[in-house]
Amino acid sequence: MSQILMIEDEPRISSFVAKGLKAEGLGTTVAPTGREGLMLALTGGFELVILDLGLPDIDGFTVLEKIRAQDSALPIIILTARASGEDTVTGLTSGADDYMPKPFRFAELVARVRLRLRPEAGSAPAPDPVLRHADLELDPLRHVVTVGGVEVDLSAREFALAETFLRHPGQVLSREQLLSRVWGYDFDPGSNVVDVYVRYLRNKLGVARFTTVRGVGYRLVDEKDYQPAAD
Ligand code: CA
């Protein structure tokens, strides 16, 4: 199992990410302070670091510089609420491999983690990241969706929702599953936002792609297998 070090002081975020990565077969160790994280990064044999910038003791940029001074190849992804372009530039020029602003989509974090993990010796090349279902294609890294080769403009949430369906074709996804995957740790379980966004996706990608499973949720289907719900 790949070992990932997450240097993050907010337990809500670190436990959400650690749980999600575990479900993806990735092991995570959490360090809640910069000093502990730095020590672990330099001694722990980790394969990748997810680094918060606002830490209670030393700043994330300092942690980044100190790791880079000793290990030039350890992949580091910055995950931070400081979303200014200036910080992005500083992060990348100080040696981070990638930069994700909070709030973030979990699926995108996983895609970026997988992209940056050093390939294991002798393992197969990284799989094609593009997700396909009938004539629908979604590229999670380039953030592009096409239907029959024609690009469709989706908002960030619509994109995340479409990606979740494409990762689980044919499977019934409950509203709760979709809420936790797309809206992350920031959702109200009573909200009807999933239904609203499925309607947006139907309008943009084709009504007959998403079947309503009454009382449960939704399913991505081939348009020829579409059964209109009775509701
Ligand atoms: Ca923080």
Short mmCIF file of all heavy atoms in Angstrom, two decimals, residues 26-79:
data_model
loop_
_atom_site.label_atom_id
_atom_site.label_comp_id
_atom_site.label_asym_id
_atom_site.label_seq_id
_atom_site.Cartn_x
_atom_site.Cartn_y
_atom_site.Cartn_z
N LEU A 26 -5.03 3.66 -0.48
CA LEU A 26 -3.84 4.44 -0.16
C LEU A 26 -3.78 4.69 1.35
O LEU A 26 -4.74 5.20 1.92
CB LEU A 26 -3.87 5.78 -0.91
CG LEU A 26 -3.92 5.67 -2.44
CD1 LEU A 26 -4.31 7.01 -3.07
CD2 LEU A 26 -2.58 5.21 -2.99
N GLY A 27 -2.67 4.34 1.97
CA GLY A 27 -2.52 4.52 3.41
C GLY A 27 -2.06 5.94 3.71
O GLY A 27 -1.26 6.51 2.99
N THR A 28 -2.58 6.52 4.80
CA THR A 28 -2.24 7.90 5.14
C THR A 28 -1.83 8.02 6.59
O THR A 28 -2.48 7.45 7.47
CB THR A 28 -3.46 8.83 4.91
OG1 THR A 28 -3.95 8.61 3.60
CG2 THR A 28 -3.07 10.29 5.06
N THR A 29 -0.76 8.76 6.84
CA THR A 29 -0.36 9.13 8.19
C THR A 29 -0.57 10.63 8.31
O THR A 29 -0.19 11.37 7.41
CB THR A 29 1.14 8.80 8.41
OG1 THR A 29 1.31 7.40 8.25
CG2 THR A 29 1.60 9.20 9.81
N VAL A 30 -1.19 11.06 9.42
CA VAL A 30 -1.47 12.48 9.58
C VAL A 30 -0.52 13.09 10.60
O VAL A 30 -0.33 12.55 11.68
CB VAL A 30 -2.94 12.71 10.03
CG1 VAL A 30 -3.18 14.20 10.31
CG2 VAL A 30 -3.91 12.20 8.98
N ALA A 31 0.08 14.23 10.24
CA ALA A 31 0.90 14.99 11.18
C ALA A 31 0.20 16.34 11.37
O ALA A 31 0.02 17.08 10.41
CB ALA A 31 2.31 15.19 10.63
N PRO A 32 -0.21 16.68 12.61
CA PRO A 32 -0.97 17.91 12.82
C PRO A 32 -0.11 19.16 12.99
O PRO A 32 -0.65 20.26 13.09
CB PRO A 32 -1.76 17.63 14.10
CG PRO A 32 -0.97 16.59 14.82
CD PRO A 32 -0.16 15.84 13.82
N THR A 33 1.20 19.03 13.03
CA THR A 33 2.05 20.22 13.13
C THR A 33 3.14 20.17 12.06
O THR A 33 3.46 19.10 11.53
CB THR A 33 2.78 20.31 14.50
OG1 THR A 33 3.68 19.20 14.61
CG2 THR A 33 1.79 20.29 15.66
N GLY A 34 3.71 21.33 11.77
CA GLY A 34 4.78 21.40 10.78
C GLY A 34 6.02 20.64 11.21
O GLY A 34 6.64 19.95 10.41
N ARG A 35 6.38 20.76 12.49
CA ARG A 35 7.61 20.09 12.96
C ARG A 35 7.50 18.57 12.85
O ARG A 35 8.40 17.91 12.38
CB ARG A 35 7.91 20.49 14.41
CG ARG A 35 8.55 21.84 14.49
CD ARG A 35 9.32 22.10 15.78
NE ARG A 35 9.81 23.46 15.71
CZ ARG A 35 9.06 24.53 16.01
NH1 ARG A 35 7.83 24.38 16.45
NH2 ARG A 35 9.55 25.74 15.87
N GLU A 36 6.35 18.06 13.33
CA GLU A 36 6.16 16.61 13.28
C GLU A 36 6.12 16.14 11.82
O GLU A 36 6.72 15.12 11.46
CB GLU A 36 4.84 16.27 13.99
CG GLU A 36 4.66 14.78 14.21
CD GLU A 36 3.32 14.46 14.89
OE1 GLU A 36 2.80 15.34 15.62
OE2 GLU A 36 2.81 13.35 14.67
N GLY A 37 5.45 16.92 10.98
CA GLY A 37 5.36 16.56 9.57
C GLY A 37 6.72 16.53 8.91
O GLY A 37 7.05 15.61 8.15
N LEU A 38 7.52 17.56 9.21
CA LEU A 38 8.85 17.64 8.63
C LEU A 38 9.70 16.45 9.04
O LEU A 38 10.36 15.81 8.22
CB LEU A 38 9.50 18.95 9.10
CG LEU A 38 10.90 19.24 8.57
CD1 LEU A 38 10.91 19.30 7.05
CD2 LEU A 38 11.42 20.56 9.15
N MET A 39 9.65 16.13 10.34
CA MET A 39 10.43 15.00 10.85
C MET A 39 10.01 13.71 10.14
O MET A 39 10.85 12.95 9.66
CB MET A 39 10.17 14.91 12.36
CG MET A 39 11.11 14.02 13.13
SD MET A 39 10.35 12.41 13.41
CE MET A 39 8.97 12.84 14.47
N LEU A 40 8.69 13.50 10.01
CA LEU A 40 8.20 12.28 9.37
C LEU A 40 8.56 12.26 7.88
O LEU A 40 8.94 11.23 7.33
CB LEU A 40 6.68 12.17 9.54
CG LEU A 40 6.21 11.72 10.92
CD1 LEU A 40 4.69 11.88 11.04
CD2 LEU A 40 6.59 10.27 11.19
N ALA A 41 8.44 13.42 7.24
CA ALA A 41 8.72 13.48 5.79
C ALA A 41 10.16 13.09 5.51
O ALA A 41 10.46 12.46 4.50
CB ALA A 41 8.44 14.88 5.26
N LEU A 42 11.06 13.47 6.44
CA LEU A 42 12.48 13.22 6.18
C LEU A 42 12.93 11.84 6.65
O LEU A 42 13.99 11.38 6.27
CB LEU A 42 13.32 14.30 6.87
CG LEU A 42 13.09 15.72 6.30
CD1 LEU A 42 13.91 16.75 7.05
CD2 LEU A 42 13.40 15.77 4.81
N THR A 43 12.12 11.19 7.48
CA THR A 43 12.57 9.90 8.01
C THR A 43 11.62 8.75 7.74
O THR A 43 11.96 7.60 7.94
CB THR A 43 12.74 9.98 9.55
OG1 THR A 43 11.48 10.38 10.11
CG2 THR A 43 13.82 10.96 9.95
N GLY A 44 10.41 9.06 7.31
CA GLY A 44 9.37 8.03 7.34
C GLY A 44 9.23 7.16 6.10
O GLY A 44 8.41 6.26 6.08
N GLY A 45 10.01 7.42 5.06
CA GLY A 45 9.87 6.59 3.86
C GLY A 45 8.52 6.76 3.17
O GLY A 45 7.97 5.79 2.65
N PHE A 46 7.99 7.97 3.18
CA PHE A 46 6.69 8.20 2.54
C PHE A 46 6.86 8.38 1.03
O PHE A 46 7.93 8.77 0.56
CB PHE A 46 6.01 9.43 3.13
CG PHE A 46 5.52 9.19 4.53
CD1 PHE A 46 6.29 9.53 5.63
CD2 PHE A 46 4.31 8.55 4.74
CE1 PHE A 46 5.86 9.27 6.92
CE2 PHE A 46 3.87 8.27 6.02
CZ PHE A 46 4.64 8.64 7.12
N GLU A 47 5.78 8.09 0.30
CA GLU A 47 5.86 8.19 -1.15
C GLU A 47 5.32 9.51 -1.68
O GLU A 47 5.55 9.86 -2.84
CB GLU A 47 5.08 7.03 -1.79
CG GLU A 47 5.80 5.71 -1.57
CD GLU A 47 4.92 4.54 -1.93
OE1 GLU A 47 4.51 4.45 -3.09
OE2 GLU A 47 4.63 3.74 -1.04
N LEU A 48 4.58 10.22 -0.82
CA LEU A 48 4.00 11.50 -1.27
C LEU A 48 3.58 12.28 -0.03
O LEU A 48 3.19 11.69 0.97
CB LEU A 48 2.80 11.23 -2.18
CG LEU A 48 2.09 12.44 -2.80
CD1 LEU A 48 1.71 12.11 -4.25
CD2 LEU A 48 0.83 12.84 -2.06
N VAL A 49 3.65 13.61 -0.12
CA VAL A 49 3.23 14.47 0.99
C VAL A 49 2.12 15.40 0.52
O VAL A 49 2.21 16.01 -0.54
CB VAL A 49 4.42 15.31 1.51
CG1 VAL A 49 3.95 16.29 2.59
CG2 VAL A 49 5.52 14.42 2.07
N ILE A 50 1.04 15.48 1.34
CA ILE A 50 -0.01 16.48 1.12
C ILE A 50 0.20 17.51 2.22
O ILE A 50 0.14 17.18 3.41
CB ILE A 50 -1.41 15.85 1.21
CG1 ILE A 50 -1.59 14.79 0.12
CG2 ILE A 50 -2.48 16.94 1.07
CD1 ILE A 50 -2.88 13.98 0.24
N LEU A 51 0.47 18.74 1.82
CA LEU A 51 0.93 19.75 2.78
C LEU A 51 0.00 20.95 2.87
O LEU A 51 -0.28 21.60 1.86
CB LEU A 51 2.34 20.21 2.35
CG LEU A 51 3.00 21.35 3.10
CD1 LEU A 51 3.30 20.94 4.55
CD2 LEU A 51 4.30 21.76 2.40
N ASP A 52 -0.46 21.24 4.09
CA ASP A 52 -1.25 22.44 4.36
C ASP A 52 -0.26 23.60 4.56
O ASP A 52 0.87 23.38 5.01
CB ASP A 52 -2.06 22.18 5.64
CG ASP A 52 -2.93 23.35 6.05
OD1 ASP A 52 -3.29 24.16 5.18
OD2 ASP A 52 -3.26 23.44 7.25
N LEU A 53 -0.66 24.83 4.24
CA LEU A 53 0.27 25.95 4.44
C LEU A 53 0.10 26.58 5.82
O LEU A 53 1.08 26.90 6.50
CB LEU A 53 0.08 27.01 3.36
CG LEU A 53 0.55 26.65 1.95
CD1 LEU A 53 0.35 27.83 1.02
CD2 LEU A 53 2.01 26.20 1.94
N GLY A 54 -1.14 26.75 6.27
CA GLY A 54 -1.38 27.38 7.56
C GLY A 54 -1.30 26.36 8.67
O GLY A 54 -2.27 25.67 8.97
N LEU A 55 -0.14 26.24 9.28
CA LEU A 55 0.07 25.24 10.34
C LEU A 55 0.34 25.98 11.65
O LEU A 55 0.78 27.12 11.65
CB LEU A 55 1.26 24.34 9.97
CG LEU A 55 1.00 23.42 8.77
CD1 LEU A 55 2.31 22.86 8.22
CD2 LEU A 55 0.04 22.30 9.14
N PRO A 56 0.06 25.32 12.80
CA PRO A 56 0.14 26.05 14.07
C PRO A 56 1.56 26.45 14.48
O PRO A 56 1.72 27.42 15.22
CB PRO A 56 -0.46 25.06 15.08
CG PRO A 56 -0.38 23.72 14.43
CD PRO A 56 -0.45 23.96 12.96
N ASP A 57 2.57 25.73 14.06
CA ASP A 57 3.92 26.08 14.52
C ASP A 57 4.76 26.72 13.41
O ASP A 57 4.98 27.92 13.41
CB ASP A 57 4.62 24.86 15.14
CG ASP A 57 4.57 23.63 14.24
OD1 ASP A 57 3.89 23.67 13.20
OD2 ASP A 57 5.21 22.62 14.58
N ILE A 58 5.22 25.93 12.46
CA ILE A 58 5.99 26.54 11.37
C ILE A 58 5.17 26.55 10.09
O ILE A 58 4.38 25.65 9.84
CB ILE A 58 7.37 25.87 11.15
CG1 ILE A 58 7.24 24.35 11.14
CG2 ILE A 58 8.38 26.34 12.17
CD1 ILE A 58 8.54 23.64 10.85
N ASP A 59 5.37 27.58 9.29
CA ASP A 59 4.62 27.77 8.06
C ASP A 59 4.89 26.63 7.06
O ASP A 59 6.00 26.10 7.01
CB ASP A 59 5.07 29.12 7.45
CG ASP A 59 4.22 29.50 6.26
OD1 ASP A 59 3.15 30.07 6.49
OD2 ASP A 59 4.63 29.21 5.12
N GLY A 60 3.83 26.29 6.29
CA GLY A 60 3.98 25.22 5.31
C GLY A 60 5.09 25.45 4.30
O GLY A 60 5.77 24.51 3.88
N PHE A 61 5.30 26.71 3.92
CA PHE A 61 6.38 27.00 2.96
C PHE A 61 7.75 26.64 3.54
O PHE A 61 8.64 26.18 2.83
CB PHE A 61 6.37 28.48 2.56
CG PHE A 61 5.31 28.82 1.56
CD1 PHE A 61 4.48 29.91 1.74
CD2 PHE A 61 5.14 28.03 0.43
CE1 PHE A 61 3.50 30.21 0.80
CE2 PHE A 61 4.15 28.33 -0.51
CZ PHE A 61 3.33 29.43 -0.31
N THR A 62 7.91 26.88 4.87
CA THR A 62 9.17 26.51 5.51
C THR A 62 9.34 25.00 5.51
O THR A 62 10.44 24.48 5.23
CB THR A 62 9.19 27.04 6.97
OG1 THR A 62 8.81 28.41 6.93
CG2 THR A 62 10.54 26.88 7.61
N VAL A 63 8.26 24.29 5.79
CA VAL A 63 8.30 22.82 5.76
C VAL A 63 8.72 22.36 4.36
O VAL A 63 9.59 21.51 4.20
CB VAL A 63 6.92 22.22 6.14
CG1 VAL A 63 6.93 20.70 6.00
CG2 VAL A 63 6.52 22.63 7.55
N LEU A 64 8.09 22.98 3.36
CA LEU A 64 8.39 22.62 1.97
C LEU A 64 9.87 22.82 1.65
O LEU A 64 10.53 21.94 1.10
CB LEU A 64 7.52 23.49 1.06
CG LEU A 64 7.72 23.38 -0.45
CD1 LEU A 64 7.40 21.99 -0.95
CD2 LEU A 64 6.84 24.40 -1.18
N GLU A 65 10.40 23.98 2.04
CA GLU A 65 11.82 24.27 1.73
C GLU A 65 12.75 23.28 2.42
O GLU A 65 13.72 22.82 1.85
CB GLU A 65 12.17 25.69 2.16
CG GLU A 65 11.76 26.71 1.13
CD GLU A 65 11.69 28.12 1.71
OE1 GLU A 65 12.45 28.41 2.64
OE2 GLU A 65 10.84 28.91 1.22
N LYS A 66 12.42 22.96 3.67
CA LYS A 66 13.30 22.06 4.43
C LYS A 66 13.24 20.64 3.87
O LYS A 66 14.25 19.93 3.86
CB LYS A 66 12.95 22.08 5.91
CG LYS A 66 13.35 23.38 6.59
CD LYS A 66 13.22 23.26 8.10
CE LYS A 66 13.32 24.61 8.79
NZ LYS A 66 14.68 25.13 8.89
N ILE A 67 12.05 20.22 3.42
CA ILE A 67 11.98 18.88 2.80
C ILE A 67 12.80 18.89 1.52
O ILE A 67 13.64 18.01 1.28
CB ILE A 67 10.52 18.47 2.47
CG1 ILE A 67 9.69 18.32 3.75
CG2 ILE A 67 10.51 17.14 1.70
CD1 ILE A 67 8.20 18.05 3.49
N ARG A 68 12.60 19.94 0.70
CA ARG A 68 13.30 20.01 -0.59
C ARG A 68 14.82 20.07 -0.44
O ARG A 68 15.56 19.57 -1.27
CB ARG A 68 12.82 21.22 -1.39
CG ARG A 68 11.60 20.96 -2.20
CD ARG A 68 11.87 19.98 -3.35
NE ARG A 68 10.63 19.53 -3.97
CZ ARG A 68 10.02 18.39 -3.69
NH1 ARG A 68 10.55 17.54 -2.82
NH2 ARG A 68 8.90 18.04 -4.28
N ALA A 69 15.28 20.67 0.67
CA ALA A 69 16.72 20.77 0.88
C ALA A 69 17.34 19.38 1.03
O ALA A 69 18.51 19.16 0.75
CB ALA A 69 17.01 21.61 2.11
N GLN A 70 16.52 18.42 1.48
CA GLN A 70 17.09 17.09 1.73
C GLN A 70 16.57 16.02 0.78
O GLN A 70 17.19 14.96 0.66
CB GLN A 70 16.77 16.66 3.17
CG GLN A 70 17.38 17.64 4.15
CD GLN A 70 17.55 17.03 5.51
OE1 GLN A 70 17.79 15.84 5.65
NE2 GLN A 70 17.44 17.85 6.53
N ASP A 71 15.41 16.24 0.21
CA ASP A 71 14.84 15.23 -0.69
C ASP A 71 14.24 15.95 -1.88
O ASP A 71 13.18 16.56 -1.79
CB ASP A 71 13.77 14.40 0.05
CG ASP A 71 13.24 13.25 -0.81
OD1 ASP A 71 13.35 13.31 -2.06
OD2 ASP A 71 12.71 12.28 -0.24
N SER A 72 14.94 15.89 -3.00
CA SER A 72 14.48 16.68 -4.14
C SER A 72 13.39 15.96 -4.93
O SER A 72 12.75 16.57 -5.77
CB SER A 72 15.66 16.99 -5.05
OG SER A 72 16.27 15.77 -5.44
N ALA A 73 13.16 14.69 -4.64
CA ALA A 73 12.24 13.93 -5.49
C ALA A 73 10.91 13.57 -4.84
O ALA A 73 9.99 13.12 -5.53
CB ALA A 73 12.93 12.65 -5.96
N LEU A 74 10.79 13.76 -3.53
CA LEU A 74 9.54 13.39 -2.85
C LEU A 74 8.38 14.25 -3.38
O LEU A 74 8.43 15.47 -3.27
CB LEU A 74 9.71 13.60 -1.34
CG LEU A 74 8.52 13.26 -0.44
CD1 LEU A 74 8.19 11.77 -0.50
CD2 LEU A 74 8.82 13.66 1.01
N PRO A 75 7.35 13.63 -3.97
CA PRO A 75 6.25 14.45 -4.51
C PRO A 75 5.50 15.16 -3.38
O PRO A 75 5.19 14.56 -2.37
CB PRO A 75 5.34 13.43 -5.20
CG PRO A 75 6.16 12.19 -5.36
CD PRO A 75 7.15 12.20 -4.25
N ILE A 76 5.24 16.46 -3.59
CA ILE A 76 4.55 17.26 -2.57
C ILE A 76 3.38 18.01 -3.23
O ILE A 76 3.58 18.72 -4.21
CB ILE A 76 5.50 18.28 -1.91
CG1 ILE A 76 6.66 17.54 -1.22
CG2 ILE A 76 4.75 19.16 -0.90
CD1 ILE A 76 7.74 18.44 -0.66
N ILE A 77 2.19 17.80 -2.66
CA ILE A 77 1.01 18.53 -3.15
C ILE A 77 0.58 19.48 -2.04
O ILE A 77 0.32 19.06 -0.92
CB ILE A 77 -0.14 17.56 -3.48
CG1 ILE A 77 0.27 16.60 -4.59
CG2 ILE A 77 -1.40 18.34 -3.87
CD1 ILE A 77 -0.77 15.54 -4.91
N ILE A 78 0.51 20.76 -2.36
CA ILE A 78 0.03 21.75 -1.37
C ILE A 78 -1.49 21.80 -1.43
O ILE A 78 -2.07 21.86 -2.51
CB ILE A 78 0.63 23.14 -1.67
CG1 ILE A 78 2.14 23.12 -1.39
CG2 ILE A 78 -0.05 24.21 -0.82
CD1 ILE A 78 2.83 24.44 -1.68
N LEU A 79 -2.10 21.76 -0.25
CA LEU A 79 -3.56 21.81 -0.14
C LEU A 79 -3.86 22.93 0.82
O LEU A 79 -3.51 22.85 1.99
CB LEU A 79 -4.03 20.47 0.43
CG LEU A 79 -5.52 20.20 0.55
CD1 LEU A 79 -6.16 20.20 -0.82
CD2 LEU A 79 -5.75 18.86 1.22
#
